[in-house]
């Protein structure tokens, strides 16, 4: 039942530099140009921070990264992007001590708006005492801070006194800090400990997180230190043309050659299992020898885990034949660029069932029942609609490995997703074809319910990938990352046009 008050950078976090987190604000809430400006002034920030004034260095970081940005945009990045990078930098010793206490408080020089969502959501912090940024009447950050200024030294002491009072009996039990400017607030606590050697210890393992990190957003994969930012900047003039080339040749070449062309351009594709043969080539003369629905339907239903919107494309590339993909949400650019047929679903269950059934009669169909992508090793809840439509079902375990850019986004423009994925130096796709579902485990031939089939396939894919199954949905993801349910409301006339378009495609 003790109370702990801790600093953040260098104390709860292994690194004492907050530059990477301001860089994420500048890049994700601002623009690449703002991020470049922040990188260019980083030597000046370093000189100010370590040799002149810690408060002056933080003030400059705040001004360059936040000035002119909507506060809502900063809050969105703090909620959706920063937690992943904070968790990956947690100091294991101070983390264990901090989370062992029942009442947790953080006092930091960083803007409260940046750190509060992470600290309250993933560390269960009661209150955050941080620097307050100045906000205009129209909701924009001015780049300046409000009184008493950046929380450093005596200002931290004043913040702790204001929160806990001046009585000795009300003083916090434990204080954690890492630098001399933390001494003033640490003297107010009954016990005080200095954290040292953060760079020489391993970060907190994921299995020890108080709350698992399932959803996160942002384009950058690695923590954007100055050196990492330089690497990204130097690679971009090469990576962008390479991504355009990869996308273009993936569209232009025939299905038989797409995989070979992508491999030649540095895309790594690992294939496991045996893809089923083309049903048109082998099923024409079997209708009199079997009564299963595989003889009645023209295609195979491929059920995939969902890592990026490119999943159906790589299934098609590996099969070396066209397939059709159904999706609830795809940008117009991605739809136009797609080398395979894509059909939008309407979220009308009966209409979508008819659409998918018709597409299966025409040929192979790829579905991603999660309805949205997930970056971490978790599978979201599977929609059970697909299980009612076929008994020739092949689960496909999809996974990716990337080093520089994420090819998915919940907050940004989805039309750029394939380009960001292909901008990675050596993007890797793993496509594992599992055994076709036995007929006795299907709805049409085995009298199983659609939910039983969906749950079975979800568990089978999770075991193959080493992932965990969850009951979370697309709505849960978008509520966490974007503050909405992820559904774009259509106007009535637009919806009717979409239905007519889908019918004509069918």
């Amino acid at each position: 039942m003790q109370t702990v008050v801790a600093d953040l950078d260098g104390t709860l976090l292994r690194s004492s530099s907050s530059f990477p987190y301001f860089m994420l604000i500048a890049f994700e809430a601002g623009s690449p140009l703002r991020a470049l400006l922040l990188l260019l002034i980083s030597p000046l920030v370093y000189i100010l921070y370590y040799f002149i004034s810690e408060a002056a260095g933080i003030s400059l970081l705040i001004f360059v990264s936040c000035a002119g940005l909507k506060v809502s945009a900063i809050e969105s990045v703090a909620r959706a992007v920063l937690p992943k990078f904070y968790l990956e930098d947690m100091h294991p010793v101070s983390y264990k001590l901090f989370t062992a206490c029942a009442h947790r408080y953080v006092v930091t020089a960083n803007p409260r708006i940046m750190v509060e969502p992470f600290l309250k959501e993933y560390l269960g912090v009661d209150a955050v005492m941080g620097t307050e940024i100045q906000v205009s009447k129209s909701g924009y950050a001015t780049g300046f801070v409000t009184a008493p200024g950046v929380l450093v030294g005596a200002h931290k002491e004043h913040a702790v006194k204001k929160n806990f009072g001046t009585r000795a009996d009300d003083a916090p039990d434990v204080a954690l800090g890492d630098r001399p400017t933390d001494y003033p607030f640490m003297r107010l606590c009954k016990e005080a400990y200095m954290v040292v050697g953060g760079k020489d210890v391993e970060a907190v393992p994921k299995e020890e997180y108080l709350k698992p990190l399932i959803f996160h957003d942002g384009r950058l994969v690695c923590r954007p230190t100055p050196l990492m930012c330089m690497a990204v900047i130097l690679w971009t003039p090469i990576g962008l043309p390479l991504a355009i080339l990869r996308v273009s040749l993936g569209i232009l070449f025939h299905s038989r050659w797409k995989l070979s062309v992508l491999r030649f351009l540095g895309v790594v594709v690992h294939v496991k299992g045996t893809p089923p043969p083309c049903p048109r080539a082998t099923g024409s003369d079997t209708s009199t020898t079997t009564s299963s629905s595989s003889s009645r339907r023209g295609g195979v239903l491929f059920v995939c885990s969902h890592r990026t919107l490119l999943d159906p494309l790589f299934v098609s590339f590996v099969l070396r034949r066209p397939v059709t993909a159904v999706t609830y949400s795809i940008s117009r650019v991605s739809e136009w660029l797609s080398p395979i047929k894509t059909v939008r679903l309407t979220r009308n269950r009966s209409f979508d069932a008819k659409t998918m059934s018709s597409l299966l009669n025409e040929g192979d169909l790829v579905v991603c029942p999660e309805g949205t992508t997930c970056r971490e090793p978790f599978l979201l809840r599977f929609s059970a609609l697909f299980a009612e439509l076929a008994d020739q079902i092949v689960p496909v375990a999809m996974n990716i490995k990337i080093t520089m850019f994420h090819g998915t986004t919940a907050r940004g423009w989805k039309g750029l997703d394939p380009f960001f994925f292909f901008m990675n130096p050596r993007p890797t796709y793993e496509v594992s074809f599992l055994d076709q579902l036995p007929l006795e485990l299907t709805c049409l031939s085995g009298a199983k319910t659609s939910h039983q089939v969906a749950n079975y396939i979800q568990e089978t894919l999770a075991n193959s990938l080493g992932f965990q199954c969850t009951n979370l949905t697309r709505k849960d993801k978008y509520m966490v990352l974007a503050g909405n349910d992820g559904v774009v409301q259509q106007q009535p006339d637009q919806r009717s046009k979409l239905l007519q378009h889908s019918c004509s495609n069918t």
Side-chain angles (χ1 to χ4, degrees):
M1 299 305 297
Q2 288 184 314
T3 299
V4 60
V5 179
D7 181 33
L8 185 61
D9 296 319
T11 303
L12 291 178
L13 303 180
R14 297 179 300 165
S15 173
S16 60
S17 172
S18 56
F19 174 86
Y21 311 109
F22 284 101
M23 175 58 73
L24 288 167
I25 294 291
F27 182 76
E28 300 289 350
S31 66
L33 289 178
R34 184 186 291 265
L36 178 60
L37 176 61
L38 184 61
L39 179 63
L40 292 176
I41 69 157
S42 59
L44 177 59
V45 172
Y46 182 88
I47 294 172
L48 287 175
Y49 188 89
Y50 288 102
F51 299 105
I52 299 178
S53 167
E54 184 177 337
I58 295 293
S59 296
L60 185 55
L61 284 174
I62 293 174
F63 183 82
V64 176
S65 61
C66 298
L69 295 180
K70 282 188 176 181
V71 171
S72 59
I74 300 175
E75 291 173 337
S76 177
V77 173
R79 180 180 63 249
V81 180
L82 295 186
K84 181 249 187 186
F85 294 94
Y86 280 132
L87 283 171
E88 291 179 348
D89 196 32
M90 294 297 297
H91 193 297
V93 179
S94 57
Y95 176 83
K96 289 180 179 179
L97 192 155
F98 186 78
T99 55
C101 296
H103 306 288
R104 306 162 194 151
Y105 296 82
V106 170
V107 55
T108 176
N110 290 320
R112 179 187 56 81
I113 191 176
M114 277 178 54
V115 301
E116 189 172 56
F118 158 71
L119 292 171
K120 288 192 172 183
E121 184 72 17
Y122 291 93
L123 295 187
V125 169
D126 293 43
V128 179
M129 295 160 277
T131 300
E132 297 291 342
I133 64 173
Q134 191 179 85
V135 182
S136 69
K137 293 182 180 180
S138 55
Y140 288 85
T142 65
F144 300 104
V145 300
T146 61
V150 177
L151 289 196
V152 174
H155 292 326
K156 283 187 177 180
E157 178 185 17
H158 176 74
V160 173
K161 283 183 178 179
K162 183 178 180 180
N163 195 82
F164 290 95
T166 56
R167 292 177 51 192
D169 293 341
D170 297 331
D173 298 294
V174 181
L176 298 176
D178 71 298
R179 64 196 74 187
T181 53
D182 293 333
Y183 292 166
F185 91 85
M186 296 175 72
R187 283 196 292 263
L188 301 175
C189 304
K190 298 173 183 177
E191 300 177 25
Y193 298 92
M194 294 293 290
V195 180
V196 296
K199 295 182 179 180
D200 301 325
V201 296
E202 294 293 329
V204 175
K206 290 185 177 182
E207 55 270 17
E208 295 184 14
Y209 292 170
L210 291 182
K211 177 181 179 179
L213 177 70
I214 300 178
F215 302 124
H216 59 87
D217 204 22
R219 290 296 189 184
L220 298 178
V221 174
C222 297
R223 188 166 171 268
T225 61
L227 287 178
M228 185 62 198
C229 291
M230 284 296 299
V232 171
I233 290 174
L234 293 175
W235 170 253
T236 299
I238 302 173
L240 182 57
L242 181 60
I244 295 174
L245 181 62
R246 288 166 170 171
V247 171
S248 301
L249 295 185
I251 296 172
L252 297 175
F253 274 79
H254 189 273
S255 300
R256 294 180 178 274
W257 304 105
K258 293 181 188 291
L259 193 60
S260 300
V261 171
L262 289 177
R263 281 173 168 163
F264 176 77
L265 294 175
V267 180
V268 180
V269 182
H270 297 301
V271 182
K272 299 179 181 178
T274 304
C278 180
R280 293 181 182 275
T282 59
S284 59
D285 56 355
T286 60
S287 58
T288 59
T289 61
T290 179
S291 61
S292 70
S293 67
S294 60
S295 64
R296 301 193 303 269
R297 299 191 180 276
V300 177
L301 181 62
F302 294 97
V303 181
C304 304
S305 56
H306 204 8
R307 308 309 281 176
T308 77
L309 61 82
L310 299 172
D311 293 336
L313 271 66
F314 276 89
V315 171
S316 175
F317 296 165
V318 172
L319 292 173
R320 299 182 186 277
R321 63 179 186 261
V323 300
T324 301
V326 291
T327 177
Y328 285 112
S329 175
I330 186 173
S331 72
R332 292 295 182 186
V333 173
S334 299
E335 190 173 25
W336 180 72
L337 291 175
S338 176
I340 64 174
K341 181 181 178 181
T342 60
V343 176
R344 290 171 178 255
L345 299 180
T346 64
R347 302 186 188 277
N348 181 311
R349 187 176 180 84
S350 60
F351 183 86
D352 291 342
K354 293 178 181 178
T355 300
M356 294 171 64
S357 180
S358 177
L359 292 172
L360 270 170
N361 285 328
E362 296 177 6
D364 295 333
L365 182 65
V366 178
V367 298
C368 299
E370 292 172 275
T372 188
T373 58
C374 182
R375 296 175 177 179
E376 294 299 311
F378 297 91
L379 291 185
L380 308 186
R381 189 175 71 193
F382 275 28
S383 170
L385 176 60
F386 74 90
E388 303 172 4
L389 308 176
D391 56 10
Q392 194 175 359
I393 302 174
V394 176
V396 185
M398 311 291 293
N399 204 3
I400 61 171
K401 293 180 181 178
I402 47 180
T403 56
M404 196 168 286
F405 302 105
H406 285 293
T408 60
T409 182
R411 299 166 40 259
W413 188 31
K414 295 181 181 295
L416 295 178
D417 285 356
F419 295 96
F420 271 104
F421 176 82
F422 283 120
M423 276 180 66
N424 286 283
R426 287 184 64 81
T428 300
Y429 239 100
E430 298 176 355
V431 185
S432 300
F433 291 91
L434 307 186
D435 293 336
Q436 180 175 318
L437 205 65
L439 294 180
E440 60 270 18
L441 296 180
T442 65
C443 293
L444 299 182
S445 300
K448 296 290 184 180
T449 67
S450 59
H451 293 287
Q452 288 176 325
V453 175
N455 291 340
Y456 175 81
I457 294 179
Q458 182 196 35
E459 184 178 355
T460 300
L461 289 173
N463 291 336
S464 174
L465 293 165
F467 289 4
Q468 295 182 37
C469 295
T470 75
N471 283 322
L472 300 174
T473 64
R474 172 191 175 89
K475 182 177 179 180
D476 297 316
K477 170 184 170 179
Y478 278 86
M479 288 301 296
V480 170
L481 300 183
N484 57 60
D485 59 6
V487 178
V488 178
Q489 297 296 332
Q490 298 280 350
Q491 297 295 331
D493 58 335
Q494 292 177 324
R495 180 174 174 82
S496 62
K497 289 179 181 179
L498 179 60
L499 294 176
Q500 293 173 5
H501 176 68
S502 298
C503 289
S504 63
N505 283 345
T506 304

